[in-house]
Amino acid sequence: RRLSSLSEGESRLVRLLRDKFPRASSIKVVDISGGCGAMYEIHIESEEFRDKRTVQQHQMVNQALRDEIQHMHGLRIFTSAPK
């Protein structure tokens, strides 16, 4: 989907993640709850993740979204450093 077709919640999370991960080459957020904003899937490719274990990468994302996560039922996180 293009950025213009993102839901309000998806757009908000993309903005927060762009602020936290300015070196990200790719950020994708998808509401997988059917549109109610209760569960999201997040894919981030960022240089900030280089040389960090997956658990550390996910902790960085959780920290960036800590206020938002309180209102969610679930979150799927996929992170990577650019090849």
Coordinates of all heavy atoms in Angstrom, one line a residue:
R1 N 0.8 -1.2 0.0 CA 0.0 0.0 0.0 C 0.9 1.2 0.0 O 1.9 1.3 0.6 CB -0.9 0.0 1.2 CG -2.0 -1.1 1.2 CD -2.9 -0.9 2.3 NE -2.3 -1.1 3.5 CZ -2.9 -1.0 4.7 NH1 -4.2 -0.9 4.7 NH2 -2.2 -1.1 5.8
R2 N 0.4 2.3 -0.6 CA 1.1 3.6 -0.6 C 0.8 4.3 0.7 O -0.2 4.1 1.4 CB 0.6 4.4 -1.8 CG 1.0 3.8 -3.1 CD 0.8 4.7 -4.3 NE 0.2 5.9 -4.1 CZ -0.9 6.4 -4.6 NH1 -1.6 5.6 -5.4 NH2 -1.3 7.6 -4.3
L3 N 1.7 5.2 1.0 CA 1.6 6.0 2.3 C 0.3 6.7 2.4 O -0.3 6.7 3.5 CB 2.7 7.0 2.3 CG 2.9 7.7 3.7 CD1 3.3 6.7 4.8 CD2 4.0 8.7 3.6
S4 N -0.3 7.2 1.3 CA -1.5 7.9 1.3 C -2.7 7.0 1.7 O -3.7 7.5 2.2 CB -1.8 8.6 0.0 OG -1.9 7.6 -1.0
S5 N -2.6 5.7 1.6 CA -3.7 4.8 1.9 C -3.5 4.2 3.3 O -4.3 3.3 3.7 CB -3.8 3.7 0.9 OG -2.7 2.9 0.9
L6 N -2.6 4.7 4.1 CA -2.4 4.1 5.4 C -3.5 4.7 6.3 O -4.0 5.8 6.2 CB -1.0 4.6 6.0 CG 0.2 4.0 5.4 CD1 1.4 4.6 6.1 CD2 0.2 2.5 5.4
S7 N -3.9 3.9 7.3 CA -4.9 4.3 8.3 C -4.2 5.3 9.2 O -3.0 5.5 9.2 CB -5.3 3.1 9.1 OG -4.3 2.7 10.0
E8 N -5.0 6.0 10.0 CA -4.4 7.0 10.9 C -3.4 6.4 11.9 O -2.4 6.9 12.1 CB -5.6 7.7 11.7 CG -5.1 8.7 12.7 CD -6.3 9.4 13.4 OE1 -7.4 9.5 12.8 OE2 -6.1 9.7 14.6
G9 N -3.8 5.2 12.4 CA -2.9 4.5 13.3 C -1.6 4.1 12.6 O -0.5 4.2 13.2
E10 N -1.7 3.6 11.4 CA -0.5 3.2 10.7 C 0.4 4.4 10.4 O 1.6 4.3 10.6 CB -0.9 2.5 9.4 CG -1.5 1.1 9.5 CD -2.2 0.7 8.2 OE1 -2.6 1.5 7.4 OE2 -2.4 -0.6 8.1
S11 N -0.2 5.5 10.0 CA 0.6 6.7 9.7 C 1.3 7.2 11.0 O 2.4 7.6 10.9 CB -0.3 7.8 9.2 OG -0.9 7.4 7.9
R12 N 0.6 7.2 12.1 CA 1.1 7.6 13.4 C 2.4 6.8 13.8 O 3.4 7.3 14.2 CB 0.1 7.6 14.5 CG 0.6 8.1 15.8 CD -0.5 8.2 16.9 NE -1.0 6.9 17.2 CZ -2.2 6.4 16.9 NH1 -3.1 7.1 16.2 NH2 -2.6 5.2 17.2
L13 N 2.2 5.5 13.6 CA 3.4 4.6 14.0 C 4.5 4.8 13.0 O 5.7 4.8 13.5 CB 2.9 3.1 14.0 CG 1.9 2.7 15.0 CD1 1.6 1.3 14.9 CD2 2.4 3.1 16.4
V14 N 4.3 5.0 11.7 CA 5.3 5.3 10.8 C 6.1 6.5 11.2 O 7.3 6.6 11.2 CB 4.8 5.3 9.3 CG1 5.9 5.9 8.4 CG2 4.3 4.0 8.8
R15 N 5.3 7.6 11.5 CA 6.0 8.9 11.9 C 6.9 8.6 13.2 O 8.0 9.1 13.2 CB 4.9 9.9 12.2 CG 4.4 10.6 11.0 CD 3.6 11.8 11.3 NE 2.6 11.6 12.3 CZ 1.3 11.2 12.1 NH1 0.9 11.0 10.9 NH2 0.4 11.1 13.1
L16 N 6.4 7.9 14.2 CA 7.1 7.7 15.4 C 8.4 6.9 15.1 O 9.5 7.2 15.6 CB 6.3 6.9 16.4 CG 5.2 7.7 17.1 CD1 4.2 6.7 17.8 CD2 5.7 8.7 18.1
L17 N 8.3 5.9 14.2 CA 9.4 5.1 13.9 C 10.4 5.8 13.0 O 11.6 5.7 13.2 CB 9.0 3.8 13.2 CG 8.2 2.8 14.1 CD1 7.5 1.7 13.3 CD2 9.1 2.2 15.1
R18 N 10.0 6.7 12.1 CA 10.9 7.5 11.3 C 11.7 8.4 12.2 O 12.9 8.7 12.0 CB 10.1 8.4 10.3 CG 9.7 7.6 9.1 CD 10.5 7.9 7.9 NE 10.1 7.0 6.8 CZ 10.9 6.1 6.4 NH1 12.2 5.9 6.8 NH2 10.6 5.2 5.4
D19 N 11.0 9.0 13.3 CA 11.7 9.9 14.2 C 12.8 9.1 15.0 O 13.9 9.6 15.2 CB 10.7 10.5 15.2 CG 9.9 11.6 14.6 OD1 10.2 12.0 13.5 OD2 8.9 12.0 15.2
K20 N 12.5 7.9 15.4 CA 13.4 7.1 16.2 C 14.5 6.4 15.4 O 15.6 6.2 15.9 CB 12.5 6.0 17.0 CG 13.3 5.2 17.9 CD 13.9 6.0 19.1 CE 14.6 5.2 20.1 NZ 15.2 5.9 21.2
F21 N 14.2 6.1 14.2 CA 15.1 5.4 13.3 C 15.3 6.2 12.0 O 14.9 5.8 10.9 CB 14.6 4.0 13.0 CG 14.4 3.1 14.2 CD1 13.1 2.9 14.6 CD2 15.5 2.6 14.9 CE1 12.9 2.1 15.8 CE2 15.3 1.8 16.0 CZ 14.0 1.6 16.5
P22 N 16.0 7.4 12.1 CA 16.2 8.2 11.0 C 17.0 7.6 9.8 O 16.9 8.0 8.7 CB 16.9 9.5 11.5 CG 17.5 9.0 12.8 CD 16.6 7.9 13.3
R23 N 17.8 6.6 10.1 CA 18.6 5.9 9.1 C 17.9 4.8 8.5 O 18.5 4.0 7.7 CB 19.9 5.5 9.7 CG 20.8 6.7 10.2 CD 21.9 6.3 11.1 NE 22.9 5.5 10.4 CZ 23.8 4.7 11.0 NH1 23.9 4.7 12.3 NH2 24.6 4.0 10.3
A24 N 16.6 4.6 8.8 CA 15.9 3.4 8.2 C 15.7 3.6 6.7 O 15.4 4.6 6.2 CB 14.5 3.3 8.9
S25 N 16.0 2.5 6.0 CA 15.9 2.5 4.6 C 14.4 2.1 4.2 O 14.0 2.3 3.1 CB 16.9 1.6 3.9 OG 16.9 0.3 4.5
S26 N 13.8 1.4 5.1 CA 12.4 0.9 4.9 C 11.7 0.8 6.2 O 12.2 0.2 7.2 CB 12.5 -0.4 4.2 OG 11.2 -1.0 4.1
I27 N 10.4 1.3 6.2 CA 9.5 1.2 7.4 C 8.2 0.9 6.8 O 7.6 1.6 6.0 CB 9.5 2.4 8.3 CG1 10.8 2.7 8.9 CG2 8.4 2.3 9.3 CD1 10.8 4.0 9.8
K28 N 7.6 -0.3 7.2 CA 6.3 -0.7 6.8 C 5.4 -1.0 8.0 O 5.9 -1.8 8.8 CB 6.4 -1.9 5.8 CG 5.1 -2.3 5.3 CD 5.3 -3.5 4.4 CE 4.0 -4.2 4.1 NZ 4.1 -5.6 3.5
V29 N 4.3 -0.4 8.1 CA 3.4 -0.7 9.2 C 2.0 -1.1 8.7 O 1.5 -0.4 7.8 CB 3.2 0.5 10.2 CG1 2.2 0.3 11.2 CG2 4.5 1.0 10.8
V30 N 1.5 -2.3 9.1 CA 0.2 -2.8 8.6 C -0.7 -3.1 9.8 O -0.3 -3.8 10.7 CB 0.4 -4.0 7.7 CG1 -1.0 -4.5 7.3 CG2 1.3 -3.7 6.6
D31 N -1.9 -2.5 9.8 CA -2.9 -2.9 10.8 C -3.4 -4.3 10.5 O -4.1 -4.4 9.5 CB -4.0 -1.8 10.8 CG -5.1 -2.1 11.9 OD1 -5.2 -3.2 12.4 OD2 -5.8 -1.1 12.2
I32 N -3.1 -5.3 11.3 CA -3.6 -6.6 11.0 C -4.8 -7.0 11.9 O -5.1 -8.2 12.0 CB -2.4 -7.6 11.1 CG1 -1.8 -7.6 12.5 CG2 -1.4 -7.4 10.0 CD1 -0.7 -8.7 12.7
S33 N -5.4 -6.0 12.5 CA -6.5 -6.3 13.4 C -7.9 -6.1 12.6 O -8.9 -6.1 13.3 CB -6.5 -5.4 14.6 OG -6.6 -4.0 14.2
G34 N -7.8 -5.9 11.3 CA -9.0 -5.6 10.6 C -9.5 -4.1 10.6 O -10.6 -3.8 10.3
G35 N -8.5 -3.3 11.0 CA -8.8 -1.8 11.0 C -9.1 -1.2 12.3 O -9.2 0.0 12.4
C36 N -9.1 -1.9 13.4 CA -9.5 -1.3 14.7 C -8.2 -0.8 15.4 O -8.4 -0.2 16.5 CB -10.3 -2.3 15.6 SG -9.3 -3.7 16.2
G37 N -7.0 -1.1 14.9 CA -5.8 -0.6 15.5 C -5.4 -1.3 16.8 O -4.6 -0.8 17.5
A38 N -5.8 -2.6 16.9 CA -5.4 -3.3 18.1 C -4.2 -4.2 17.9 O -3.5 -4.6 18.9 CB -6.6 -4.2 18.6
M39 N -3.9 -4.4 16.7 CA -2.7 -5.3 16.4 C -2.0 -4.8 15.1 O -2.7 -4.6 14.1 CB -3.1 -6.7 16.3 CG -1.9 -7.7 16.2 SD -2.4 -9.4 16.6 CE -0.8 -10.2 16.4
Y40 N -0.7 -4.7 15.1 CA 0.1 -4.2 14.0 C 1.2 -5.2 13.7 O 1.7 -5.8 14.5 CB 0.7 -2.8 14.2 CG -0.4 -1.7 14.3 CD1 -0.9 -1.4 15.5 CD2 -0.8 -1.1 13.2 CE1 -1.9 -0.4 15.6 CE2 -1.7 -0.1 13.2 CZ -2.3 0.3 14.4 OH -3.2 1.3 14.5
E41 N 1.6 -5.1 12.4 CA 2.8 -5.8 11.9 C 3.7 -4.7 11.4 O 3.3 -3.9 10.6 CB 2.5 -6.8 10.8 CG 3.7 -7.6 10.4 CD 3.2 -8.8 9.5 OE1 2.6 -9.7 10.0 OE2 3.6 -8.7 8.3
I42 N 5.0 -4.8 11.9 CA 5.9 -3.7 11.6 C 7.2 -4.4 11.0 O 7.7 -5.3 11.5 CB 6.3 -3.0 12.9 CG1 5.1 -2.2 13.4 CG2 7.5 -2.0 12.6 CD1 5.4 -1.5 14.7
H43 N 7.6 -3.8 9.9 CA 8.9 -4.3 9.2 C 9.8 -3.0 9.1 O 9.4 -2.0 8.6 CB 8.6 -4.8 7.8 CG 7.7 -6.0 7.7 ND1 8.2 -7.3 7.6 CD2 6.4 -6.2 7.9 CE1 7.3 -8.1 7.6 NE2 6.1 -7.5 7.8
I44 N 11.0 -3.1 9.7 CA 11.9 -2.0 9.6 C 13.3 -2.6 9.2 O 13.8 -3.5 9.8 CB 12.1 -1.3 11.0 CG1 10.8 -0.9 11.6 CG2 13.1 -0.2 10.9 CD1 10.9 -0.3 13.0
E45 N 13.8 -1.9 8.2 CA 15.2 -2.2 7.8 C 16.0 -0.9 8.1 O 15.7 0.2 7.6 CB 15.3 -2.5 6.3 CG 16.7 -2.8 5.9 CD 16.8 -3.2 4.4 OE1 16.5 -4.3 4.1 OE2 17.1 -2.3 3.6
S46 N 17.0 -1.0 9.0 CA 17.7 0.2 9.4 C 19.1 -0.1 9.8 O 19.4 -1.1 10.4 CB 17.0 0.8 10.6 OG 17.7 2.0 11.0
E47 N 20.0 0.9 9.4 CA 21.4 0.8 9.8 C 21.6 0.7 11.3 O 22.6 0.1 11.8 CB 22.1 2.0 9.2 CG 23.6 1.8 9.1 CD 24.1 0.6 8.3 OE1 23.6 0.4 7.2 OE2 25.0 -0.1 8.8
E48 N 20.7 1.3 12.1 CA 20.7 1.3 13.5 C 20.8 -0.1 14.1 O 21.2 -0.4 15.2 CB 19.6 2.0 14.2 CG 19.7 3.5 14.1 CD 18.9 4.2 13.0 OE1 18.6 3.5 12.0 OE2 18.6 5.4 13.1
F49 N 20.3 -1.1 13.3 CA 20.2 -2.5 13.8 C 21.5 -3.3 13.5 O 21.6 -4.4 14.0 CB 19.0 -3.2 13.2 CG 17.7 -2.6 13.5 CD1 16.7 -2.5 12.5 CD2 17.4 -2.2 14.8 CE1 15.5 -2.0 12.8 CE2 16.1 -1.7 15.1 CZ 15.2 -1.6 14.1
R50 N 22.4 -2.7 12.8 CA 23.6 -3.5 12.4 C 24.4 -3.9 13.7 O 24.5 -3.1 14.6 CB 24.5 -2.6 11.5 CG 25.7 -3.4 11.1 CD 26.3 -3.0 9.8 NE 25.5 -2.5 8.7 CZ 24.9 -3.3 7.8 NH1 25.0 -4.6 7.9 NH2 24.2 -2.8 6.8
D51 N 24.8 -5.2 13.7 CA 25.6 -5.7 14.8 C 24.8 -5.9 16.1 O 25.4 -6.0 17.1 CB 26.9 -4.9 15.0 CG 27.8 -4.9 13.8 OD1 27.9 -6.0 13.1 OD2 28.4 -3.9 13.5
K52 N 23.5 -5.8 16.0 CA 22.7 -6.0 17.2 C 21.9 -7.4 17.0 O 21.5 -7.7 15.9 CB 21.7 -4.9 17.4 CG 22.4 -3.6 17.8 CD 21.4 -2.6 18.3 CE 22.1 -1.4 18.9 NZ 23.3 -0.9 18.3
R53 N 21.7 -8.1 18.1 CA 21.0 -9.3 18.1 C 19.5 -8.9 17.8 O 19.0 -7.8 18.1 CB 21.1 -10.1 19.4 CG 22.5 -10.6 19.6 CD 22.6 -11.5 20.8 NE 21.7 -11.2 21.9 CZ 21.9 -10.5 23.0 NH1 23.1 -9.9 23.1 NH2 21.0 -10.3 23.9
T54 N 18.7 -9.9 17.3 CA 17.3 -9.7 17.0 C 16.6 -9.2 18.2 O 15.8 -8.2 18.2 CB 16.7 -11.0 16.5 OG1 17.4 -11.4 15.3 CG2 15.2 -10.7 16.1
V55 N 16.8 -9.8 19.4 CA 16.1 -9.4 20.6 C 16.4 -7.9 20.9 O 15.6 -7.1 21.4 CB 16.4 -10.3 21.8 CG1 17.9 -10.1 22.3 CG2 15.5 -10.0 22.9
Q56 N 17.7 -7.5 20.7 CA 18.0 -6.1 20.9 C 17.3 -5.1 19.9 O 16.8 -4.0 20.3 CB 19.5 -5.9 20.8 CG 20.3 -6.6 21.9 CD 21.8 -6.5 21.6 OE1 22.3 -6.9 20.5 NE2 22.6 -6.1 22.6
Q57 N 17.2 -5.6 18.7 CA 16.5 -4.8 17.7 C 15.1 -4.6 18.1 O 14.5 -3.5 18.0 CB 16.6 -5.5 16.3 CG 18.0 -5.6 15.8 CD 18.1 -6.4 14.5 OE1 17.1 -6.7 13.9 NE2 19.3 -6.8 14.2
H58 N 14.4 -5.7 18.5 CA 13.0 -5.6 18.9 C 12.8 -4.8 20.1 O 11.8 -4.1 20.2 CB 12.5 -7.0 19.1 CG 12.3 -7.8 17.8 ND1 11.5 -8.9 17.7 CD2 12.9 -7.6 16.6 CE1 11.6 -9.3 16.4 NE2 12.4 -8.6 15.8
Q59 N 13.8 -4.8 21.1 CA 13.7 -4.0 22.2 C 13.7 -2.5 21.8 O 13.0 -1.7 22.4 CB 14.8 -4.3 23.2 CG 14.6 -5.6 24.0 CD 15.9 -6.0 24.7 OE1 17.0 -5.6 24.5 NE2 15.7 -6.9 25.7
M60 N 14.5 -2.2 20.8 CA 14.6 -0.8 20.4 C 13.3 -0.3 19.8 O 12.8 0.8 20.1 CB 15.7 -0.7 19.3 CG 17.1 -0.8 19.8 SD 18.3 -1.1 18.5 CE 18.3 0.6 17.8
V61 N 12.6 -1.2 19.0 CA 11.3 -0.9 18.5 C 10.3 -0.7 19.6 O 9.5 0.2 19.6 CB 10.9 -1.9 17.4 CG1 9.5 -1.7 16.9 CG2 11.8 -2.0 16.3
N62 N 10.3 -1.7 20.5 CA 9.3 -1.6 21.6 C 9.5 -0.3 22.4 O 8.5 0.3 22.9 CB 9.5 -2.8 22.6 CG 8.8 -4.1 22.0 OD1 7.7 -4.0 21.6 ND2 9.5 -5.2 22.1
Q63 N 10.8 0.1 22.7 CA 11.0 1.3 23.4 C 10.5 2.5 22.6 O 9.9 3.4 23.2 CB 12.6 1.4 23.6 CG 13.0 2.7 24.4 CD 12.4 2.7 25.8 OE1 12.1 1.7 26.4 NE2 12.3 3.9 26.4
A64 N 10.7 2.5 21.3 CA 10.3 3.6 20.5 C 8.7 3.8 20.5 O 8.2 4.9 20.4 CB 10.7 3.4 19.0
L65 N 8.0 2.7 20.7 CA 6.6 2.7 20.6 C 5.9 2.4 22.0 O 4.7 2.1 22.1 CB 6.1 1.6 19.6 CG 6.5 1.8 18.2 CD1 6.0 0.6 17.3 CD2 6.0 3.1 17.6
R66 N 6.7 2.6 23.1 CA 6.2 2.2 24.4 C 4.8 2.8 24.8 O 4.0 2.1 25.3 CB 7.3 2.4 25.5 CG 7.5 3.9 25.7 CD 8.7 4.1 26.7 NE 9.0 5.5 26.8 CZ 9.7 6.2 26.0 NH1 10.3 5.6 25.0 NH2 10.0 7.5 26.2
D67 N 4.6 4.0 24.4 CA 3.3 4.7 24.8 C 2.2 4.1 23.9 O 1.1 3.9 24.4 CB 3.4 6.2 24.6 CG 4.4 6.8 25.6 OD1 4.6 6.2 26.7 OD2 4.9 7.9 25.3
E68 N 2.5 3.8 22.7 CA 1.5 3.3 21.8 C 1.1 1.8 22.1 O -0.1 1.4 22.0 CB 2.0 3.3 20.3 CG 2.3 4.7 19.8 CD 1.2 5.7 19.8 OE1 0.1 5.2 19.4 OE2 1.3 6.8 20.2
I69 N 2.1 1.0 22.5 CA 1.9 -0.4 22.8 C 0.9 -0.6 23.9 O 0.2 -1.6 23.9 CB 3.3 -1.1 23.1 CG1 4.1 -1.2 21.8 CG2 3.1 -2.4 23.7 CD1 5.5 -1.7 22.0
Q70 N 0.8 0.3 24.8 CA -0.1 0.2 25.9 C -1.6 0.0 25.4 O -2.4 -0.5 26.1 CB 0.0 1.4 26.8 CG 1.3 1.5 27.5 CD 1.4 2.8 28.3 OE1 0.4 3.3 28.9 NE2 2.6 3.4 28.4
H71 N -1.9 0.5 24.2 CA -3.2 0.5 23.7 C -3.4 -0.6 22.7 O -4.5 -0.7 22.0 CB -3.6 1.9 23.1 CG -3.3 3.0 24.0 ND1 -4.1 3.3 25.1 CD2 -2.3 3.9 24.0 CE1 -3.6 4.3 25.7 NE2 -2.5 4.7 25.1
M72 N -2.4 -1.5 22.5 CA -2.5 -2.6 21.5 C -2.7 -3.9 22.2 O -2.4 -4.1 23.3 CB -1.2 -2.6 20.7 CG -0.9 -1.5 19.8 SD 0.6 -1.8 19.0 CE 1.0 -0.1 18.5
H73 N -3.3 -4.8 21.4 CA -3.4 -6.2 21.9 C -2.2 -7.0 21.5 O -1.9 -8.0 22.1 CB -4.7 -6.9 21.3 CG -5.9 -6.3 21.9 ND1 -6.3 -6.4 23.2 CD2 -6.9 -5.6 21.3 CE1 -7.4 -5.8 23.4 NE2 -7.8 -5.3 22.3
G74 N -1.6 -6.6 20.4 CA -0.4 -7.4 19.9 C 0.4 -6.6 18.9 O -0.1 -5.6 18.3
L75 N 1.6 -7.1 18.7 CA 2.5 -6.4 17.8 C 3.5 -7.5 17.2 O 4.1 -8.2 18.0 CB 3.3 -5.3 18.5 CG 4.3 -4.5 17.8 CD1 3.6 -3.6 16.7 CD2 5.0 -3.6 18.8
R76 N 3.6 -7.5 15.9 CA 4.6 -8.4 15.3 C 5.7 -7.5 14.7 O 5.4 -6.6 14.0 CB 3.9 -9.2 14.1 CG 3.0 -10.2 14.5 CD 2.5 -11.0 13.2 NE 1.4 -11.7 13.5 CZ 0.5 -12.1 12.5 NH1 0.7 -11.8 11.3 NH2 -0.5 -12.9 12.9
I77 N 6.9 -7.8 15.1 CA 8.0 -7.0 14.7 C 9.0 -7.8 13.9 O 9.4 -8.9 14.3 CB 8.8 -6.4 15.9 CG1 7.8 -5.6 16.8 CG2 10.0 -5.6 15.5 CD1 8.4 -5.2 18.1
F78 N 9.4 -7.2 12.7 CA 10.4 -7.8 11.9 C 11.4 -6.8 11.6 O 11.1 -5.7 11.1 CB 9.8 -8.3 10.5 CG 8.7 -9.3 10.7 CD1 7.4 -9.0 10.9 CD2 9.0 -10.7 10.7 CE1 6.4 -9.9 11.0 CE2 8.0 -11.6 10.9 CZ 6.7 -11.3 11.1
T79 N 12.7 -7.0 12.0 CA 13.8 -6.0 11.9 C 14.9 -6.6 11.1 O 15.2 -7.8 11.1 CB 14.2 -5.5 13.2 OG1 14.6 -6.7 14.0 CG2 13.2 -4.7 13.9
S80 N 15.7 -5.8 10.5 CA 16.9 -6.2 9.8 C 17.8 -5.0 9.5 O 17.3 -3.8 9.5 CB 16.6 -6.9 8.5 OG 16.0 -6.0 7.6
A81 N 19.1 -5.2 9.3 CA 20.0 -4.2 8.8 C 20.1 -4.4 7.3 O 19.9 -5.5 6.8 CB 21.4 -4.4 9.5
P82 N 20.4 -3.3 6.6 CA 20.5 -3.4 5.1 C 21.6 -4.3 4.8 O 22.6 -4.4 5.5 CB 20.8 -1.9 4.7 CG 20.3 -1.1 5.8 CD 20.5 -1.9 7.1
K83 N 21.4 -5.0 3.7 CA 22.4 -6.0 3.2 C 23.6 -5.3 2.6 O 23.5 -4.2 2.1 CB 21.8 -6.9 2.1 CG 20.6 -7.6 2.6 CD 20.9 -9.1 2.9 CE 19.7 -9.9 3.3 NZ 19.3 -9.7 4.6

